[in-house]
């Protein structure tokens, strides 16, 4: 059965690339607050726009009068991004592409998107976080991931806990059944030799890839 995919437009940075367009292709779309500014460059029309709209200017609100809006108070107990993800799940999402989830002025928001992605992955959802320049993918206990990365591009594995049984294949610095202590930097700044395969026996991690960064080539 084909998975129901949703793209969530968030307020962080975005460089429109072919990889971003491909990730969003064929998905349903929900915008979170001023993440709506990414809709036009990506030729996407959201079915829903959520948030407290404290960071959305009048011009953007005027440009999309026909999109259904759900307005929340600024004092709410969740971020606009988390609300958008929750709405997507209520509408049947099984996979989520979070565009604008990385970079921007709010490091706390970007970090929270990664934490939420790990939590969602542990619940069985497929999650991708994109800025165009960077891509992030959660990797959790018993998980595997294959990434189609260009040879010479950079990637890192960020451990959000101790990692046990980490495998990295087809990279300049491969690992086999490796144990990584939480907080150490052994898996930072690796180089893809082409498509890279990851697996993890136990732990929580984020794979952070830079598919257009060839400084390691």
């Amino acid at each position: 059965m084909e998975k129901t995919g949703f793209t969530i437009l968030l307020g962080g940075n975005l460089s429109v690339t072919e990889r971003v367009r491909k990730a969003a292709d064929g998905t349903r779309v929900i915008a979170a607050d001023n993440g709506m500014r990414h809709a036009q460059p990506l030729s996407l029309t959201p079915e829903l726009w959520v948030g407290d709209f404290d960071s959305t200017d009048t011009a953007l609100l005027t440009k999309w009068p026909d999109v259904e809006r759900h307005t929340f108070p600024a004092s709410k107990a969740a971020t606009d991004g988390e609300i958008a993800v929750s709405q997507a799940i209520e509408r049947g999402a099984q996979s989520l592409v979070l565009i604008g989830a990385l970079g921007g002025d709010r490091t706390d928001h970007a970090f929270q998107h990664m934490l939420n992605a790990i939590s969602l992955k542990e619940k069985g959802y497929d999650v991708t976080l994109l800025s165009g320049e960077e891509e992030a993918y959660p990797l959790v206990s018993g998980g595997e991931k294959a990434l189609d990365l260009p040879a010479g591009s950079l990637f890192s594995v960020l451990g959000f806990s101790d990692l046990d049984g980490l495998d990295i294949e087809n990279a300049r610095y491969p690992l086999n059944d490796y144990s990584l202590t939480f907080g150490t930097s052994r898996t930072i700044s690796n180089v893809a030799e082409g498509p890279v395969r990851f697996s993890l026996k136990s732990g929580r991690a984020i794979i952070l890839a830079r598919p257009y960064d060839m400084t390691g080539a």
Side-chain angles (χ1 to χ4, degrees):
M1 180 181 296
E2 185 176 349
K3 293 185 176 181
T4 302
F6 271 78
T7 289
I8 309 297
L9 302 180
L10 300 167
N13 292 345
L14 175 63
S15 297
V16 178
T17 66
E18 186 58 32
R19 290 174 70 96
V20 171
R21 291 188 183 279
K22 183 177 180 181
D25 186 45
T27 63
R28 296 165 65 180
V29 183
I30 295 176
D33 209 326
N34 78 334
M36 179 62 100
R37 73 186 191 279
H38 302 316
Q40 185 173 11
L42 290 168
S43 300
L44 299 175
T45 300
E47 64 185 65
L48 180 66
W49 192 0
V50 301
D52 53 26
F53 300 100
D54 62 347
S55 58
T56 301
D57 61 33
T58 303
L60 190 59
L61 290 168
T62 303
K63 185 180 293 185
W64 299 93
D66 298 325
V67 175
E68 179 185 357
R69 295 180 198 169
H70 289 183
T71 303
F72 296 82
S75 59
K76 61 191 181 300
T79 65
D80 295 329
E82 187 174 357
I83 290 170
V85 168
S86 296
Q87 290 291 317
I89 290 172
E90 286 184 13
R91 294 173 183 230
Q94 294 170 295
S95 64
L96 295 152
V97 177
L98 309 185
I99 289 178
L102 305 168
D105 297 331
R106 295 293 301 269
T107 301
D108 53 347
H109 282 233
F111 190 73
Q112 176 58 33
H113 294 322
M114 288 190 244
L115 292 174
N116 194 30
I118 290 172
S119 176
L120 290 166
K121 185 65 175 178
E122 290 181 327
K123 295 172 184 174
Y125 298 98
D126 290 333
V127 188
T128 302
L129 299 85
L130 302 173
S131 72
E133 295 182 1
E134 293 184 316
E135 304 174 358
Y137 306 86
L139 182 66
V140 299
S141 298
E144 299 180 350
K145 185 67 180 179
L147 291 184
D148 187 10
L149 296 175
S153 62
L154 294 181
F155 72 89
S156 297
V157 177
L158 310 178
F160 281 67
S161 69
D162 290 343
L163 305 181
D164 292 313
L166 175 63
D167 292 343
I168 301 176
E169 302 177 35
N170 202 34
R172 182 174 297 175
Y173 308 110
L175 292 176
N176 179 43
D177 199 26
Y178 188 78
S179 294
L180 183 75
T181 302
F182 175 65
T184 58
S185 61
R186 174 68 176 81
T187 52
I188 300 298
S189 294
N190 208 332
V191 182
E193 301 291 348
V196 184
R197 294 172 296 279
F198 305 84
S199 64
L200 180 65
K201 290 180 181 175
S202 178
R204 294 167 169 159
I206 287 283
I207 305 163
L208 187 64
R210 297 178 57 83
Y212 300 99
D213 186 342
M214 299 296 171
T215 55

